[in-house]
Amino acid sequence: MSDYDRDARRLWSRKVHGLTPYVPGEQPRDRVFIKLNTNENPYPPAPGVIEAIQTFPVERLKLYPDPTGLATRTALADYHGVALDQVFVGNGSDEVLAMAFQAFFNHHIDPATAKETEKIVFPDITYSFYPVYARLYDIPYRTVPLADDFTMPLASLQAPSAGIVLANPNAPTGIALALDDIRSLAAADRDRLILVDEAYVDFGGESAVALLPEFDNILVIQTLSKSRSLAGMRIGFAIGDPHLIHALERIRDSFNSYTLDSLAQTCAVAAFADGHWFETTRIRIMTTRERTTKALESLGFSVLPSAANFIFIRHDRYQAADLYTRLRDAGILVRHFKQPRIENSLRVSIGTDPDMDAFITALTEITADSQ
Ligand SMILES: *Cc1c(COP(=O)(O)O)cnc(C)c1O
């Protein structure tokens, strides 16, 4: 008898046995680290959000939240200059992405038409949740390799496929794709949906929301986790053609109608009402990013050009795994992916200026005493 026969894993479905779940970055509880490992915003939520939480009518929690997220969607539609029926909200953009995979990529395969037998595509180096969702929902996929300099392989993305998933700016590279490139991908086949994950767009990218008047086959997904400092509140959204939004609503209402709780909805509205804080903090992060990049380059690191709130770095003379451990010993957490092509790079979230000073100081010491 194997272990699986003896314990309750014998009750698992075939699906559960076959899964390879996503592994989130560490949230340490044992000691205080300078956390540069999960791309959280180092600044607190906007003062308007804090006030909204402090004055939230707790009594309201006995009621179910608005299942359609009307107030939140109104704030989002106003901010992005789109109609209310072009906006869908969910419990973090991970959930919205998962619903989009189910809504648009699990086509019935018709053996008569070659097109429907195509797989969806995404780059080999990108957000590692995409292959997890594809496997969870039995969606055939293939990856296309990023170029050696980690830019998008546009020609291979143009080839026929059942759909395209792009993070723009990409993760963990931070490299942004121009809107013209997304436009040409969308125009190449209007029967193919392009899912553009814009988790980091506010730190220097261009949003594909600008392309929506031209294309009904682009769905843009964003989050309040990064640029609005609300990772713990779990608010994400999608913007696209009303028929795409309707498909997402059909999935949601077949699963859980109340994905966004009342407090989260209140915070989302308050976050968009306090635009000053958003502008100040995102610009501060971009300024810190450029300063950190220069300091790292003078220590001999290569830094990819980032339009995100993180940088992807490597050093010819130091192993990323060693640097990761030495930084951890110095109380600084960064992200190291043990994955082909990027195992010698580190992804470093942009913290406050003092955080990044400590990071640079630690690396200066590490690179000095191992000469
Ligand atoms: C952080 C991140 C998300 C998830 O954001 P949540 O809204 O917190 O679920 C989605 N896509 C990418 C590329 C991310 O880095």
Side-chain angles (χ1 to χ4, degrees), residues 285-332:
I285 287 167
M286 289 190 281
T287 308
T288 307
R289 177 183 71 208
E290 298 316 309
R291 186 176 71 81
T292 306
T293 300
K294 287 205 184 71
L296 287 169
E297 284 170 346
S298 68
L299 290 176
F301 284 87
S302 320
V303 184
L304 292 183
S306 171
N309 68 337
F310 58 84
I311 45 178
F312 204 52
I313 69 169
R314 59 183 294 157
H315 198 297
D316 287 341
R317 279 182 293 119
Y318 301 95
Q319 292 295 313
D322 294 341
L323 291 175
Y324 168 84
T325 309
R326 308 240 353 226
L327 285 166
R328 197 173 202 289
D329 292 344
I332 300 169

mmCIF file of all heavy atoms in Angstrom, residues 285-332:
data_model
loop_
_atom_site.group_PDB
_atom_site.id
_atom_site.type_symbol
_atom_site.label_atom_id
_atom_site.label_comp_id
_atom_site.label_asym_id
_atom_site.label_seq_id
_atom_site.Cartn_x
_atom_site.Cartn_y
_atom_site.Cartn_z
ATOM 1 N N ILE A 285 7.850 56.180 -6.206
ATOM 2 C CA ILE A 285 8.375 54.825 -6.465
ATOM 3 C C ILE A 285 9.184 54.796 -7.772
ATOM 4 O O ILE A 285 10.263 54.197 -7.836
ATOM 5 C CB ILE A 285 7.226 53.796 -6.467
ATOM 6 C CG1 ILE A 285 6.742 53.579 -5.030
ATOM 7 C CG2 ILE A 285 7.655 52.464 -7.101
ATOM 8 C CD1 ILE A 285 5.442 52.834 -4.893
ATOM 9 N N MET A 286 8.693 55.495 -8.785
ATOM 10 C CA MET A 286 9.439 55.513 -10.056
ATOM 11 C C MET A 286 10.778 56.227 -9.896
ATOM 12 O O MET A 286 11.791 55.816 -10.455
ATOM 13 C CB MET A 286 8.593 56.162 -11.160
ATOM 14 C CG MET A 286 7.424 55.280 -11.577
ATOM 15 S SD MET A 286 6.580 55.897 -13.059
ATOM 16 C CE MET A 286 5.578 57.186 -12.364
ATOM 17 N N THR A 287 10.792 57.312 -9.102
ATOM 18 C CA THR A 287 12.035 58.048 -8.861
ATOM 19 C C THR A 287 13.020 57.171 -8.093
ATOM 20 O O THR A 287 14.207 57.096 -8.431
ATOM 21 C CB THR A 287 11.723 59.340 -8.057
ATOM 22 O OG1 THR A 287 10.680 60.031 -8.737
ATOM 23 C CG2 THR A 287 12.933 60.236 -7.940
ATOM 24 N N THR A 288 12.517 56.484 -7.070
ATOM 25 C CA THR A 288 13.376 55.579 -6.290
ATOM 26 C C THR A 288 13.912 54.460 -7.181
ATOM 27 O O THR A 288 15.070 54.044 -7.053
ATOM 28 C CB THR A 288 12.576 54.981 -5.109
ATOM 29 O OG1 THR A 288 11.979 56.043 -4.369
ATOM 30 C CG2 THR A 288 13.463 54.163 -4.189
ATOM 31 N N ARG A 289 13.075 53.980 -8.082
ATOM 32 C CA ARG A 289 13.497 52.906 -9.002
ATOM 33 C C ARG A 289 14.691 53.357 -9.844
ATOM 34 O O ARG A 289 15.682 52.633 -9.981
ATOM 35 C CB ARG A 289 12.323 52.533 -9.919
ATOM 36 C CG ARG A 289 12.664 51.483 -10.966
ATOM 37 C CD ARG A 289 11.472 51.232 -11.885
ATOM 38 N NE ARG A 289 11.236 52.361 -12.780
ATOM 39 C CZ ARG A 289 10.050 52.689 -13.296
ATOM 40 N NH1 ARG A 289 8.970 51.992 -13.014
ATOM 41 N NH2 ARG A 289 9.928 53.729 -14.087
ATOM 42 N N GLU A 290 14.619 54.577 -10.381
ATOM 43 C CA GLU A 290 15.699 55.047 -11.249
ATOM 44 C C GLU A 290 16.995 55.251 -10.454
ATOM 45 O O GLU A 290 18.080 54.909 -10.910
ATOM 46 C CB GLU A 290 15.288 56.341 -11.970
ATOM 47 C CG GLU A 290 14.067 56.163 -12.889
ATOM 48 C CD GLU A 290 14.111 54.891 -13.746
ATOM 49 O OE1 GLU A 290 15.132 54.651 -14.425
ATOM 50 O OE2 GLU A 290 13.129 54.109 -13.717
ATOM 51 N N ARG A 291 16.850 55.766 -9.249
ATOM 52 C CA ARG A 291 18.014 55.996 -8.396
ATOM 53 C C ARG A 291 18.659 54.652 -8.015
ATOM 54 O O ARG A 291 19.882 54.496 -8.055
ATOM 55 C CB ARG A 291 17.543 56.734 -7.136
ATOM 56 C CG ARG A 291 18.609 57.180 -6.192
ATOM 57 C CD ARG A 291 18.008 57.976 -5.035
ATOM 58 N NE ARG A 291 17.239 57.164 -4.091
ATOM 59 C CZ ARG A 291 17.778 56.443 -3.111
ATOM 60 N NH1 ARG A 291 19.090 56.415 -2.948
ATOM 61 N NH2 ARG A 291 17.016 55.747 -2.295
ATOM 62 N N THR A 292 17.818 53.680 -7.647
ATOM 63 C CA THR A 292 18.321 52.355 -7.270
ATOM 64 C C THR A 292 19.029 51.698 -8.462
ATOM 65 O O THR A 292 20.083 51.074 -8.313
ATOM 66 C CB THR A 292 17.152 51.466 -6.799
ATOM 67 O OG1 THR A 292 16.446 52.150 -5.761
ATOM 68 C CG2 THR A 292 17.635 50.122 -6.278
ATOM 69 N N THR A 293 18.437 51.848 -9.637
ATOM 70 C CA THR A 293 19.034 51.253 -10.840
ATOM 71 C C THR A 293 20.443 51.784 -11.062
ATOM 72 O O THR A 293 21.384 51.017 -11.307
ATOM 73 C CB THR A 293 18.136 51.567 -12.064
ATOM 74 O OG1 THR A 293 16.851 50.999 -11.830
ATOM 75 C CG2 THR A 293 18.717 51.014 -13.352
ATOM 76 N N LYS A 294 20.615 53.098 -10.938
ATOM 77 C CA LYS A 294 21.950 53.692 -11.146
ATOM 78 C C LYS A 294 22.944 53.167 -10.121
ATOM 79 O O LYS A 294 24.076 52.819 -10.459
ATOM 80 C CB LYS A 294 21.870 55.216 -11.045
ATOM 81 C CG LYS A 294 21.206 55.850 -12.254
ATOM 82 C CD LYS A 294 21.671 57.297 -12.447
ATOM 83 C CE LYS A 294 20.912 57.937 -13.602
ATOM 84 N NZ LYS A 294 19.480 58.204 -13.255
ATOM 85 N N ALA A 295 22.502 53.096 -8.854
ATOM 86 C CA ALA A 295 23.408 52.626 -7.796
ATOM 87 C C ALA A 295 23.815 51.175 -8.050
ATOM 88 O O ALA A 295 24.980 50.801 -7.859
ATOM 89 C CB ALA A 295 22.732 52.773 -6.434
ATOM 90 N N LEU A 296 22.874 50.347 -8.506
ATOM 91 C CA LEU A 296 23.187 48.935 -8.771
ATOM 92 C C LEU A 296 24.128 48.803 -9.953
ATOM 93 O O LEU A 296 25.049 47.978 -9.942
ATOM 94 C CB LEU A 296 21.895 48.156 -9.046
ATOM 95 C CG LEU A 296 21.010 47.904 -7.827
ATOM 96 C CD1 LEU A 296 19.649 47.381 -8.256
ATOM 97 C CD2 LEU A 296 21.681 46.904 -6.881
ATOM 98 N N GLU A 297 23.900 49.635 -10.963
ATOM 99 C CA GLU A 297 24.779 49.565 -12.133
ATOM 100 C C GLU A 297 26.207 49.931 -11.757
ATOM 101 O O GLU A 297 27.162 49.327 -12.246
ATOM 102 C CB GLU A 297 24.239 50.455 -13.263
ATOM 103 C CG GLU A 297 23.038 49.784 -13.941
ATOM 104 C CD GLU A 297 22.274 50.676 -14.917
ATOM 105 O OE1 GLU A 297 22.485 51.912 -14.906
ATOM 106 O OE2 GLU A 297 21.442 50.120 -15.668
ATOM 107 N N SER A 298 26.346 50.862 -10.811
ATOM 108 C CA SER A 298 27.710 51.220 -10.429
ATOM 109 C C SER A 298 28.356 50.112 -9.577
ATOM 110 O O SER A 298 29.570 50.078 -9.432
ATOM 111 C CB SER A 298 27.755 52.588 -9.748
ATOM 112 O OG SER A 298 27.119 52.500 -8.516
ATOM 113 N N LEU A 299 27.539 49.177 -9.059
ATOM 114 C CA LEU A 299 28.113 48.007 -8.371
ATOM 115 C C LEU A 299 28.346 46.854 -9.343
ATOM 116 O O LEU A 299 28.680 45.739 -8.934
ATOM 117 C CB LEU A 299 27.174 47.543 -7.245
ATOM 118 C CG LEU A 299 27.043 48.440 -6.008
ATOM 119 C CD1 LEU A 299 25.999 47.855 -5.045
ATOM 120 C CD2 LEU A 299 28.384 48.576 -5.287
ATOM 121 N N GLY A 300 28.095 47.085 -10.625
ATOM 122 C CA GLY A 300 28.353 46.053 -11.629
ATOM 123 C C GLY A 300 27.153 45.176 -11.967
ATOM 124 O O GLY A 300 27.298 44.169 -12.660
ATOM 125 N N PHE A 301 25.964 45.532 -11.481
ATOM 126 C CA PHE A 301 24.771 44.749 -11.807
ATOM 127 C C PHE A 301 24.211 45.162 -13.174
ATOM 128 O O PHE A 301 24.323 46.328 -13.570
ATOM 129 C CB PHE A 301 23.667 44.968 -10.763
ATOM 130 C CG PHE A 301 23.913 44.236 -9.472
ATOM 131 C CD1 PHE A 301 24.672 44.810 -8.465
ATOM 132 C CD2 PHE A 301 23.375 42.970 -9.280
ATOM 133 C CE1 PHE A 301 24.900 44.137 -7.268
ATOM 134 C CE2 PHE A 301 23.596 42.290 -8.089
ATOM 135 C CZ PHE A 301 24.363 42.867 -7.088
ATOM 136 N N SER A 302 23.598 44.203 -13.873
ATOM 137 C CA SER A 302 22.789 44.539 -15.050
ATOM 138 C C SER A 302 21.349 44.632 -14.564
ATOM 139 O O SER A 302 20.874 43.755 -13.845
ATOM 140 C CB SER A 302 22.842 43.463 -16.116
ATOM 141 O OG SER A 302 24.124 42.952 -16.241
ATOM 142 N N VAL A 303 20.667 45.684 -14.974
ATOM 143 C CA VAL A 303 19.297 45.925 -14.537
ATOM 144 C C VAL A 303 18.438 46.080 -15.794
ATOM 145 O O VAL A 303 18.727 46.948 -16.633
ATOM 146 C CB VAL A 303 19.216 47.206 -13.678
ATOM 147 C CG1 VAL A 303 17.802 47.408 -13.138
ATOM 148 C CG2 VAL A 303 20.225 47.164 -12.536
ATOM 149 N N LEU A 304 17.401 45.252 -15.944
ATOM 150 C CA LEU A 304 16.533 45.401 -17.113
ATOM 151 C C LEU A 304 15.740 46.702 -16.993
ATOM 152 O O LEU A 304 15.417 47.130 -15.884
ATOM 153 C CB LEU A 304 15.556 44.216 -17.212
ATOM 154 C CG LEU A 304 16.148 42.848 -17.523
ATOM 155 C CD1 LEU A 304 15.035 41.805 -17.661
ATOM 156 C CD2 LEU A 304 16.985 42.889 -18.796
ATOM 157 N N PRO A 305 15.432 47.344 -18.140
ATOM 158 C CA PRO A 305 14.665 48.600 -18.084
ATOM 159 C C PRO A 305 13.261 48.324 -17.562
ATOM 160 O O PRO A 305 12.501 47.571 -18.172
ATOM 161 C CB PRO A 305 14.634 49.058 -19.547
ATOM 162 C CG PRO A 305 14.907 47.827 -20.358
ATOM 163 C CD PRO A 305 15.739 46.921 -19.508
ATOM 164 N N SER A 306 12.918 48.886 -16.417
ATOM 165 C CA SER A 306 11.646 48.540 -15.770
ATOM 166 C C SER A 306 10.621 49.661 -15.859
ATOM 167 O O SER A 306 10.926 50.822 -15.620
ATOM 168 C CB SER A 306 11.896 48.223 -14.294
ATOM 169 O OG SER A 306 10.656 48.088 -13.621
ATOM 170 N N ALA A 307 9.382 49.272 -16.187
ATOM 171 C CA ALA A 307 8.249 50.193 -16.115
ATOM 172 C C ALA A 307 7.316 49.724 -14.990
ATOM 173 O O ALA A 307 6.109 49.954 -15.033
ATOM 174 C CB ALA A 307 7.527 50.232 -17.458
ATOM 175 N N ALA A 308 7.880 49.061 -13.979
ATOM 176 C CA ALA A 308 7.064 48.472 -12.903
ATOM 177 C C ALA A 308 7.596 48.917 -11.539
ATOM 178 O O ALA A 308 8.535 49.714 -11.471
ATOM 179 C CB ALA A 308 7.093 46.952 -13.023
ATOM 180 N N ASN A 309 7.008 48.403 -10.463
ATOM 181 C CA ASN A 309 7.507 48.777 -9.135
ATOM 182 C C ASN A 309 8.504 47.738 -8.614
ATOM 183 O O ASN A 309 8.585 47.477 -7.421
ATOM 184 C CB ASN A 309 6.351 48.959 -8.137
ATOM 185 C CG ASN A 309 5.653 47.650 -7.812
ATOM 186 O OD1 ASN A 309 5.714 46.705 -8.592
ATOM 187 N ND2 ASN A 309 4.978 47.592 -6.674
ATOM 188 N N PHE A 310 9.248 47.149 -9.551
ATOM 189 C CA PHE A 310 10.314 46.206 -9.199
ATOM 190 C C PHE A 310 11.359 46.270 -10.297
ATOM 191 O O PHE A 310 11.103 46.819 -11.378
ATOM 192 C CB PHE A 310 9.768 44.775 -9.061
ATOM 193 C CG PHE A 310 9.085 44.276 -10.308
ATOM 194 C CD1 PHE A 310 9.807 43.714 -11.351
ATOM 195 C CD2 PHE A 310 7.708 44.411 -10.460
ATOM 196 C CE1 PHE A 310 9.187 43.277 -12.508
ATOM 197 C CE2 PHE A 310 7.070 43.977 -11.615
ATOM 198 C CZ PHE A 310 7.809 43.417 -12.650
ATOM 199 N N ILE A 311 12.535 45.722 -9.990
ATOM 200 C CA ILE A 311 13.576 45.626 -11.014
ATOM 201 C C ILE A 311 14.078 44.193 -11.046
ATOM 202 O O ILE A 311 13.978 43.462 -10.050
ATOM 203 C CB ILE A 311 14.743 46.605 -10.748
ATOM 204 C CG1 ILE A 311 15.147 46.558 -9.272
ATOM 205 C CG2 ILE A 311 14.382 48.021 -11.188
ATOM 206 C CD1 ILE A 311 16.313 47.451 -8.921
ATOM 207 N N PHE A 312 14.584 43.793 -12.198
ATOM 208 C CA PHE A 312 15.092 42.435 -12.388
ATOM 209 C C PHE A 312 16.581 42.575 -12.652
ATOM 210 O O PHE A 312 17.000 43.221 -13.621
ATOM 211 C CB PHE A 312 14.364 41.805 -13.574
ATOM 212 C CG PHE A 312 14.349 40.305 -13.549
ATOM 213 C CD1 PHE A 312 13.918 39.612 -12.424
ATOM 214 C CD2 PHE A 312 14.743 39.577 -14.666
ATOM 215 C CE1 PHE A 312 13.882 38.225 -12.402
ATOM 216 C CE2 PHE A 312 14.711 38.189 -14.660
ATOM 217 C CZ PHE A 312 14.274 37.516 -13.532
ATOM 218 N N ILE A 313 17.388 41.999 -11.752
ATOM 219 C CA ILE A 313 18.822 42.292 -11.770
ATOM 220 C C ILE A 313 19.675 41.020 -11.797
ATOM 221 O O ILE A 313 19.225 39.958 -11.360
ATOM 222 C CB ILE A 313 19.225 43.139 -10.541
ATOM 223 C CG1 ILE A 313 19.115 42.319 -9.246
ATOM 224 C CG2 ILE A 313 18.348 44.390 -10.436
ATOM 225 C CD1 ILE A 313 19.739 42.997 -8.028
ATOM 226 N N ARG A 314 20.882 41.157 -12.321
ATOM 227 C CA ARG A 314 21.838 40.056 -12.239
ATOM 228 C C ARG A 314 23.253 40.616 -12.227
ATOM 229 O O ARG A 314 23.481 41.771 -12.582
ATOM 230 C CB ARG A 314 21.664 39.060 -13.386
ATOM 231 C CG ARG A 314 21.819 39.666 -14.769
ATOM 232 C CD ARG A 314 21.553 38.626 -15.828
ATOM 233 N NE ARG A 314 22.573 37.590 -15.784
ATOM 234 C CZ ARG A 314 22.399 36.343 -16.262
ATOM 235 N NH1 ARG A 314 21.244 35.996 -16.777
ATOM 236 N NH2 ARG A 314 23.382 35.469 -16.210
ATOM 237 N N HIS A 315 24.179 39.769 -11.751
ATOM 238 C CA HIS A 315 25.574 40.183 -11.690
ATOM 239 C C HIS A 315 26.410 39.044 -12.257
ATOM 240 O O HIS A 315 26.202 37.892 -11.885
ATOM 241 C CB HIS A 315 25.973 40.466 -10.234
ATOM 242 C CG HIS A 315 27.215 41.301 -10.106
ATOM 243 N ND1 HIS A 315 28.445 40.882 -10.563
ATOM 244 C CD2 HIS A 315 27.413 42.554 -9.602
ATOM 245 C CE1 HIS A 315 29.347 41.823 -10.331
ATOM 246 N NE2 HIS A 315 28.750 42.848 -9.755
ATOM 247 N N ASP A 316 27.326 39.376 -13.153
ATOM 248 C CA ASP A 316 28.118 38.322 -13.800
ATOM 249 C C ASP A 316 28.979 37.541 -12.817
ATOM 250 O O ASP A 316 29.291 36.386 -13.049
ATOM 251 C CB ASP A 316 29.028 38.939 -14.887
ATOM 252 C CG ASP A 316 28.210 39.350 -16.093
ATOM 253 O OD1 ASP A 316 27.071 38.848 -16.236
ATOM 254 O OD2 ASP A 316 28.706 40.186 -16.894
ATOM 255 N N ARG A 317 29.383 38.160 -11.724
ATOM 256 C CA ARG A 317 30.340 37.495 -10.833
ATOM 257 C C ARG A 317 29.697 36.885 -9.585
ATOM 258 O O ARG A 317 30.370 36.221 -8.807
ATOM 259 C CB ARG A 317 31.456 38.474 -10.432
ATOM 260 C CG ARG A 317 32.538 38.577 -11.530
ATOM 261 C CD ARG A 317 33.664 39.491 -11.158
ATOM 262 N NE ARG A 317 33.230 40.884 -11.063
ATOM 263 C CZ ARG A 317 33.297 41.629 -9.967
ATOM 264 N NH1 ARG A 317 33.791 41.132 -8.861
ATOM 265 N NH2 ARG A 317 32.881 42.877 -9.990
ATOM 266 N N TYR A 318 28.405 37.086 -9.398
ATOM 267 C CA TYR A 318 27.764 36.530 -8.195
ATOM 268 C C TYR A 318 26.535 35.714 -8.568
ATOM 269 O O TYR A 318 25.741 36.139 -9.407
ATOM 270 C CB TYR A 318 27.368 37.650 -7.218
ATOM 271 C CG TYR A 318 28.558 38.469 -6.780
ATOM 272 C CD1 TYR A 318 28.881 39.653 -7.441
ATOM 273 C CD2 TYR A 318 29.372 38.017 -5.745
ATOM 274 C CE1 TYR A 318 30.002 40.387 -7.067
ATOM 275 C CE2 TYR A 318 30.492 38.747 -5.370
ATOM 276 C CZ TYR A 318 30.801 39.935 -6.032
ATOM 277 O OH TYR A 318 31.895 40.642 -5.666
ATOM 278 N N GLN A 319 26.395 34.571 -7.924
ATOM 279 C CA GLN A 319 25.223 33.731 -8.136
ATOM 280 C C GLN A 319 24.016 34.363 -7.440
ATOM 281 O O GLN A 319 24.098 34.746 -6.272
ATOM 282 C CB GLN A 319 25.456 32.333 -7.527
ATOM 283 C CG GLN A 319 26.532 31.521 -8.250
ATOM 284 C CD GLN A 319 26.099 31.194 -9.678
ATOM 285 O OE1 GLN A 319 24.963 30.750 -9.893
ATOM 286 N NE2 GLN A 319 26.973 31.445 -10.641
ATOM 287 N N ALA A 320 22.900 34.412 -8.154
ATOM 288 C CA ALA A 320 21.693 35.002 -7.557
ATOM 289 C C ALA A 320 21.279 34.269 -6.279
ATOM 290 O O ALA A 320 20.865 34.895 -5.302
ATOM 291 C CB ALA A 320 20.559 34.993 -8.574
ATOM 292 N N ALA A 321 21.430 32.947 -6.274
ATOM 293 C CA ALA A 321 21.018 32.172 -5.090
ATOM 294 C C ALA A 321 21.840 32.586 -3.869
ATOM 295 O O ALA A 321 21.305 32.691 -2.758
ATOM 296 C CB ALA A 321 21.161 30.681 -5.363
ATOM 297 N N ASP A 322 23.148 32.843 -4.082
ATOM 298 C CA ASP A 322 24.000 33.273 -2.969
ATOM 299 C C ASP A 322 23.620 34.678 -2.508
ATOM 300 O O ASP A 322 23.551 34.949 -1.308
ATOM 301 C CB ASP A 322 25.480 33.287 -3.393
ATOM 302 C CG ASP A 322 25.986 31.882 -3.691
ATOM 303 O OD1 ASP A 322 25.326 30.925 -3.236
ATOM 304 O OD2 ASP A 322 27.017 31.769 -4.385
ATOM 305 N N LEU A 323 23.404 35.553 -3.489
ATOM 306 C CA LEU A 323 23.029 36.929 -3.124
ATOM 307 C C LEU A 323 21.721 36.913 -2.332
ATOM 308 O O LEU A 323 21.571 37.622 -1.334
ATOM 309 C CB LEU A 323 22.874 37.795 -4.378
ATOM 310 C CG LEU A 323 24.167 38.096 -5.143
ATOM 311 C CD1 LEU A 323 23.846 38.856 -6.429
ATOM 312 C CD2 LEU A 323 25.127 38.920 -4.271
ATOM 313 N N TYR A 324 20.778 36.070 -2.770
ATOM 314 C CA TYR A 324 19.492 35.955 -2.077
ATOM 315 C C TYR A 324 19.715 35.600 -0.605
ATOM 316 O O TYR A 324 19.174 36.238 0.297
ATOM 317 C CB TYR A 324 18.610 34.889 -2.766
ATOM 318 C CG TYR A 324 17.412 34.508 -1.955
ATOM 319 C CD1 TYR A 324 16.244 35.278 -2.009
ATOM 320 C CD2 TYR A 324 17.444 33.423 -1.076
ATOM 321 C CE1 TYR A 324 15.145 34.959 -1.227
ATOM 322 C CE2 TYR A 324 16.359 33.106 -0.289
ATOM 323 C CZ TYR A 324 15.209 33.870 -0.365
ATOM 324 O OH TYR A 324 14.134 33.557 0.424
ATOM 325 N N THR A 325 20.575 34.586 -0.370
ATOM 326 C CA THR A 325 20.817 34.124 1.003
ATOM 327 C C THR A 325 21.534 35.188 1.830
ATOM 328 O O THR A 325 21.174 35.435 2.987
ATOM 329 C CB THR A 325 21.673 32.832 0.974
ATOM 330 O OG1 THR A 325 21.047 31.922 0.068
ATOM 331 C CG2 THR A 325 21.780 32.198 2.332
ATOM 332 N N ARG A 326 22.526 35.834 1.211
ATOM 333 C CA ARG A 326 23.270 36.844 1.964
ATOM 334 C C ARG A 326 22.382 38.046 2.293
ATOM 335 O O ARG A 326 22.491 38.619 3.382
ATOM 336 C CB ARG A 326 24.524 37.283 1.188
ATOM 337 C CG ARG A 326 25.372 36.090 0.766
ATOM 338 C CD ARG A 326 26.785 36.016 1.270
ATOM 339 N NE ARG A 326 27.355 37.121 1.990
ATOM 340 C CZ ARG A 326 28.566 37.605 1.748
ATOM 341 N NH1 ARG A 326 29.285 37.106 0.743
ATOM 342 N NH2 ARG A 326 29.055 38.568 2.488
ATOM 343 N N LEU A 327 21.506 38.409 1.365
ATOM 344 C CA LEU A 327 20.577 39.516 1.635
ATOM 345 C C LEU A 327 19.612 39.124 2.754
ATOM 346 O O LEU A 327 19.300 39.915 3.645
ATOM 347 C CB LEU A 327 19.803 39.891 0.373
ATOM 348 C CG LEU A 327 20.592 40.687 -0.676
ATOM 349 C CD1 LEU A 327 19.849 40.696 -2.018
ATOM 350 C CD2 LEU A 327 20.833 42.130 -0.196
ATOM 351 N N ARG A 328 19.153 37.879 2.716
ATOM 352 C CA ARG A 328 18.215 37.402 3.738
ATOM 353 C C ARG A 328 18.882 37.472 5.121
ATOM 354 O O ARG A 328 18.279 37.913 6.094
ATOM 355 C CB ARG A 328 17.813 35.969 3.414
ATOM 356 C CG ARG A 328 16.578 35.521 4.134
ATOM 357 C CD ARG A 328 16.121 34.147 3.653
ATOM 358 N NE ARG A 328 14.713 33.960 3.958
ATOM 359 C CZ ARG A 328 14.226 33.791 5.160
ATOM 360 N NH1 ARG A 328 15.035 33.762 6.195
ATOM 361 N NH2 ARG A 328 12.920 33.661 5.355
ATOM 362 N N ASP A 329 20.159 37.055 5.177
ATOM 363 C CA ASP A 329 20.894 37.131 6.440
ATOM 364 C C ASP A 329 20.991 38.578 6.920
ATOM 365 O O ASP A 329 21.032 38.846 8.116
ATOM 366 C CB ASP A 329 22.308 36.555 6.274
ATOM 367 C CG ASP A 329 22.278 35.046 6.031
ATOM 368 O OD1 ASP A 329 21.214 34.431 6.294
ATOM 369 O OD2 ASP A 329 23.296 34.495 5.559
ATOM 370 N N ALA A 330 21.033 39.511 5.957
ATOM 371 C CA ALA A 330 21.123 40.935 6.310
ATOM 372 C C ALA A 330 19.734 41.527 6.580
ATOM 373 O O ALA A 330 19.604 42.741 6.776
ATOM 374 C CB ALA A 330 21.822 41.695 5.190
ATOM 375 N N GLY A 331 18.690 40.682 6.573
ATOM 376 C CA GLY A 331 17.342 41.160 6.904
ATOM 377 C C GLY A 331 16.571 41.722 5.717
ATOM 378 O O GLY A 331 15.605 42.464 5.887
ATOM 379 N N ILE A 332 17.001 41.366 4.507
ATOM 380 C CA ILE A 332 16.333 41.896 3.316
ATOM 381 C C ILE A 332 15.844 40.735 2.447
ATOM 382 O O ILE A 332 16.620 39.868 2.046
ATOM 383 C CB ILE A 332 17.296 42.794 2.497
ATOM 384 C CG1 ILE A 332 17.768 43.963 3.375
ATOM 385 C CG2 ILE A 332 16.620 43.297 1.224
ATOM 386 C CD1 ILE A 332 18.905 44.763 2.785
#
